[in-house]
Amino acid sequence: DVKVTQSSRYLVKRTGEKVFLECVQDMDHENMFWYRQDPGLGLRLIYFSYDVKMKEKGDIPEGYSVSREKKERFSLILESASTNQTSMYLCASSIPGRGTDTQYFGPGTRLTVL
Amino acid sequence: SQQGEEDPQALSIQEGENATMNCSYKTSINNLQWYRQNSGRGLVHLILIRSNEREKHSGRLRVTLDTSKKSSSLLITASRAADTASYFCATAPSRGYSSASKIIFGSGTRLSIRP
């Protein structure tokens, strides 16, 4: 079974702090994704990566950056956390080129910025 | 922007009844998937239907796809309390390879099963 883990289930930070959210997958997937989920807005793609050190902006990249130094790990960085970044953050991975695009999700990190 | 839009936004039914959720989308697609999310958890893939398929079954799940109407439906038969969750459709647009791995999620249907 594919396993995607996220470093924290719940996180509370203060405005202006630098925040790191870590995601690790154990199935050698090339693609990894970061989403945020807010009530009524569904999942919105922040960034994704299709290979080590490769990344592309999603729909809402502002205020975020990412790092993918190793294939299994994809980090989301909030350079200076703000209250409007309070949200549920979901990481996912997938295998490209199989014509299915099925994504495997981690359990999520609920981030609160005070 | 949301490619898929689910309808209804919320659905409450009695245990044992069938639950039907609909999804509409805007652009041509390679496939459409349905995911389930239990409260406060990540999404779990349920079923995928390709653009050249019209209907697919998996256990108590039945998915239909009408590409001419750009719509899909998810039917859960003989619902159980454990089916209480949010259900999302997700579409893989038929664009170039650089975007081929991205899928676009709708805003979801919250399903509640009353015992």
Side-chain angles (χ1 to χ4, degrees):
Chain A
D1 282 350
V2 177
K3 190 162 186 182
V4 180
T5 57
Q6 295 182 228
S7 50
S8 305
R9 289 298 316 280
Y10 300 94
L11 208 52
V12 179
K13 296 291 181 181
R14 296 206 174 273
T15 301
E17 282 192 74
K18 190 168 187 176
V19 182
F20 293 86
L21 302 182
E22 305 284 341
C23 175
V24 177
Q25 50 95 5
D26 66 356
M27 283 302 292
D28 205 36
H29 286 174
E30 284 84 355
N31 295 331
M32 295 189 75
F33 307 82
W34 274 107
Y35 296 90
R36 66 177 281 176
Q37 182 178 26
D38 301 286
L41 297 178
L43 275 73
R44 293 181 291 169
L45 181 64
I46 304 171
Y47 267 98
F48 74 102
S49 168
Y50 50 90
D51 202 350
V52 175
K53 297 190 186 295
M54 307 302 287
K55 60 186 180 185
E56 278 195 28
K57 293 180 180 179
D59 298 320
I60 51 163
E62 296 79 19
Y64 303 94
S65 62
V66 290
S67 171
R68 188 141 182 227
E69 297 295 319
K70 293 185 178 181
K71 192 174 186 180
E72 67 271 18
R73 188 180 298 270
F74 191 35
S75 302
L76 179 69
I77 303 155
L78 286 66
E79 298 290 342
S80 178
S82 63
T83 55
N84 62 13
Q85 292 178 310
T86 291
S87 186
M88 171 72 112
Y89 289 88
L90 294 164
C91 173
S93 69
S94 73
I95 305 172
R98 298 285 182 90
T100 64
D101 309 297
T102 297
Q103 294 188 8
Y104 299 87
F105 282 82
T109 295
R110 186 163 295 281
L111 172 68
T112 302
V113 182
L114 302 175
Chain B
S1 61
Q2 296 296 326
Q3 158 83 318
E5 294 294 333
E6 288 89 343
D7 170 54
Q9 290 187 331
L11 179 63
S12 179
I13 61 172
Q14 202 73 31
E15 192 169 16
E17 294 180 341
N18 296 341
T20 300
M21 290 160 272
N22 302 296
C23 170
S24 59
Y25 58 91
K26 297 174 183 174
T27 66
S28 56
I29 60 172
N30 286 326
N31 62 68
L32 185 145
Q33 305 173 51
W34 286 90
Y35 287 78
R36 166 198 168 118
Q37 183 182 33
N38 287 77
S39 179
R41 309 294 298 186
L43 279 72
V44 175
H45 178 255
L46 293 176
I47 193 167
L48 177 147
I49 186 165
R50 298 181 192 278
S51 59
N52 60 355
E53 297 176 310
R54 291 297 166 258
E55 188 171 312
K56 202 161 183 181
H57 296 254
S58 177
R60 293 184 296 113
L61 305 180
R62 173 177 167 249
V63 170
T64 62
L65 179 64
D66 187 335
T67 53
S68 66
K69 294 181 179 178
K70 293 187 168 56
S71 67
S72 173
S73 67
L74 171 68
L75 169 68
I76 304 174
T77 60
S79 63
R80 305 168 181 168
D83 294 329
T84 294
S86 290
Y87 293 82
F88 296 85
C89 69
T91 52
S94 51
R95 298 198 294 246
Y97 179 78
S98 63
S99 299
S101 294
K102 287 166 58 177
I103 59 177
I104 303 173
F105 290 85
S107 52
T109 292
R110 290 189 314 278
L111 175 65
S112 298
I113 309 298
R114 302 189 301 272

